[in-house]
Amino acid sequence: MTETHVTVQPEGRPTPGADPATPGEASAPEKRKISAGRNLPVAIAVGVSLGAVIVLILVFAPHVWILLASAAIGIAQWEVVKRFRQSGVDLELWPMLIGGQAIMWLSWPWGTKGVLLAFVATVVVCLVWRLLHHGPSAPGPTQFTRDSSVTVFILAWIPLLASFGAMLVLPTNHGPQRVAALIILVVCSDVGGYASGVLFGRHPMVPAISPKKSWEGFAGSLVVGTVGAVLVLQFLFDVQPLWGLLLGPVVVFTATLGDLLESQVKRDLGIKDMGTLLPGHGGIMDRLDSLLPSAVVVWTVLSALLHS
């Protein structure tokens, strides 16, 4: 979700270059400066281009969505592993990348069973690899518990959650529409939060994690996200639109949670973005943060409503 930064001129301090207030005069009104925090024209151009590619795939070759999602997840894993390794965490890149692709691709023939099997197998392989990759007679690894915990966290955070987004396209019943629903709902949450935050953002939501996120932005996300969910269910699936009153707020919550989760990870690592591949956005992971947990919700709700 887009963050909106609110900067407040400290009360009682004169603005540089201005005359100090004389005794008895009311102090100048509190000044606020609101900025989007990114190059908006570039970000919009990149976002529209990515959206156009996804639309073409869903219309003309829906199952290519799995290839696109798997490629994006591979790059995102590479970005995150690289950042953790730069901070001193010893992670095994290739077992994680190969296992991540297995988690994604085994969802095609075997669904959630394939995802679970690939996830467990990848965790086991990565743990054994980390334990013995220097050879059985070499000194044992240091910080094994820390590094193993981060390994499991990354595998669960990125490919495991993303596999639900990949599986959205598999049912013969409205497969491409399900993928479109996920993207539309997260975009609605993002756009609503951005616009409301820019116009009205005054109260930080969780300043210890993300100082740029405001409660006003979250309220905008709820309004636009809920309206988007009602319209999506009505026009893409012909489902009772009142279900959108449930789906919309839940997706807004998970999208916000995903954004906050990545913000905390970046704060721990002392970085601004996970990567630089997408101008105006950062890295691939910086665009997937809200989609990943939301994919689980959309997959679950649509599977129940559409009975498959």
Side-chain angles (χ1 to χ4, degrees):
M1 181 184 295
T2 304
E3 298 176 340
T4 303
H5 183 54
V6 180
T7 304
V8 181
Q9 179 72 28
E11 186 176 356
R13 293 185 184 178
T15 302
D19 293 332
T22 58
E25 287 185 338
S27 60
E30 188 179 71
K31 295 184 179 180
R32 302 176 187 270
K33 179 182 177 182
I34 303 175
S35 63
R38 62 178 177 176
N39 188 325
L40 189 57
V42 173
I44 291 175
V46 172
V48 170
S49 299
L50 291 174
V53 170
I54 293 173
V55 168
L56 291 174
I57 287 174
L58 295 179
V59 171
F60 296 105
H63 282 80
V64 176
W65 165 252
I66 300 178
L67 176 62
L68 178 65
S70 298
I73 290 308
I75 296 172
Q77 277 188 274
W78 176 79
E79 291 174 342
V80 173
V81 170
K82 176 183 175 182
R83 290 298 196 178
F84 270 100
R85 292 174 81 170
Q86 289 173 345
S87 71
V89 180
D90 193 358
L91 301 176
E92 305 300 335
L93 176 61
W94 287 109
M96 294 180 69
L97 287 180
I98 294 171
Q101 291 302 299
I103 293 170
M104 296 292 291
W105 283 101
L106 288 185
S107 67
W108 192 342
W110 296 318
T112 54
K113 293 180 180 179
V115 168
L116 180 59
L117 174 64
F119 174 74
V120 172
T122 302
V123 169
V124 172
V125 169
C126 287
L127 295 182
V128 173
W129 193 296
R130 178 75 184 94
L131 190 63
L132 302 175
H133 75 291
H134 290 304
S137 60
T142 59
Q143 298 291 341
F144 176 78
T145 302
R146 179 203 63 182
D147 299 344
S148 299
S149 299
V150 174
T151 295
V152 176
F153 167 71
I154 293 174
L155 290 173
W157 181 27
I158 305 178
L160 181 61
L161 295 182
S163 65
F164 288 88
M167 288 190 292
L168 285 170
V169 82
L170 296 177
T172 56
N173 180 15
H174 299 92
Q177 290 92 324
R178 299 184 193 211
V179 177
L182 168 63
I183 296 171
I184 291 171
L185 293 178
V186 173
V187 169
C188 284
S189 176
D190 194 0
V191 171
Y194 175 81
S196 182
V198 166
L199 294 174
F200 309 111
R202 294 295 183 272
H203 301 89
M205 190 176 179
V206 277
I209 298 176
S210 180
K212 300 178 182 180
K213 195 174 296 297
S214 68
W215 282 110
E216 292 82 0
F218 183 70
S221 293
L222 281 174
V223 172
V224 179
T226 301
V227 171
V230 169
L231 295 176
V232 161
L233 292 182
Q234 174 67 40
F235 292 105
L236 290 186
F237 306 104
D238 196 24
V239 169
Q240 174 57 251
L242 289 179
W243 282 105
L245 300 179
L246 170 65
L247 179 61
V250 174
V251 170
V252 168
F253 174 78
T254 55
T256 305
L257 180 64
D259 184 63
L260 291 175
L261 175 60
E262 196 204 17
S263 294
Q264 182 60 53
V265 171
K266 290 189 291 187
R267 184 174 289 273
D268 287 347
L269 297 176
I271 58 176
K272 179 181 179 182
D273 294 315
M274 285 295 182
T276 58
L277 186 61
L278 300 177
H281 292 269
I284 293 290
M285 188 59 203
D286 297 302
R287 288 298 86 204
L288 295 178
D289 54 359
S290 299
L291 286 165
L292 292 173
S294 301
V296 180
V297 170
V298 172
W299 180 87
T300 302
V301 173
L302 292 183
S303 294
L305 291 178
L306 302 176
H307 308 292
S308 65

